Amino acid sequence: MRTWGRWDAAGRGAWNRVTPEHVRRAAALVRSGRTVRLGLPWSTRPERDNDKPALHYMSDLGDVEPPEPATYKDFLGVDYHGKAVSHLDALSHVAYRGLLYGGRPAREAVDAGGARFGSVAALGPLVTKGVLLDLPAVLGVEWLEPGRAVRARDVLAAEAALGVRIDDGCAVLLRSGRFRRRRELGPWDVGAASAGFHVDAVPLLAERAVSLLGGDGDSDLRPSPVEGVHSPVHALAVAAMGMPLLDNLDLEALAAACAEAGRHEFMIVVAPLNVPGGTGSPVDPVAVL
């Protein structure tokens, strides 16, 4: 499944698949013009699934600078790689056996100054076709229980049931119903148990030439089905296939909008922060139906 050496702009990885024609194809999916945000609210409270709360405080209450007009300012800070912040993983985020995507030694490419290869700044924005795999809707349940594996056969069954087709350059979003379950039953340690893709689903996604993978978890099944590898989908997607990941999306509103529209494909816009050397970025993607 490795795509090492395939593209000149190696730091963009699978985003190289998305051409202007893919963008036009995605734009043609816009019918009602309805927009749905996919990012979680900025969470500053410690919870069982948020051990590194984000920071938000006021730095100017209209009394720091000369008056007229008064200005009000605030500060944001976050350690975003985790389970509580909607974020994008860039190609410098994951190494397997010491190697980043393309076979670059991670210790040479990433240090205390940041990433010299595969930073989020190299990715830029992405506009492409999005496909929502709403597994609870397909299975007739409210949510997938933590630890429920989504296998290749489940992906194929979801395509058939939802009337969608995963094809080249598209973004695939997996809804497990995590945040509906959280609202009804409360938070839990999603690092220990969460629904997600089994590794046997990844070759299918590679065959379909997907550009982006995401979901309301972090795409990985937990506990991991692979002994000694805690995040095998991360290793395959990012380090082998050069495919960035979107973690911790709130897909409840999108699921409702897709059900109402009677279709589970749409245009998706992902615009990560332009952070030189960054291994990813907080992000609030937008689906347009």
Side-chain angles (χ1 to χ4, degrees), residues 134-153:
D134 190 345
L135 264 293
V138 171
L139 298 173
V141 297
E142 294 182 339
W143 55 71
L144 303 185
E145 285 295 335
R148 192 340 181 142
V150 176
R151 309 189 74 122
R153 61 176 177 266

Side-chain angles (χ1 to χ4, degrees), residues 179-202:
F179 290 104
R180 179 169 180 177
R181 186 183 194 278
R182 189 184 192 278
R183 284 197 295 269
E184 296 194 20
L185 302 182
W188 73 96
D189 182 0
V190 293
S194 60
F197 285 110
H198 190 279
V199 288
D200 78 2
V202 184

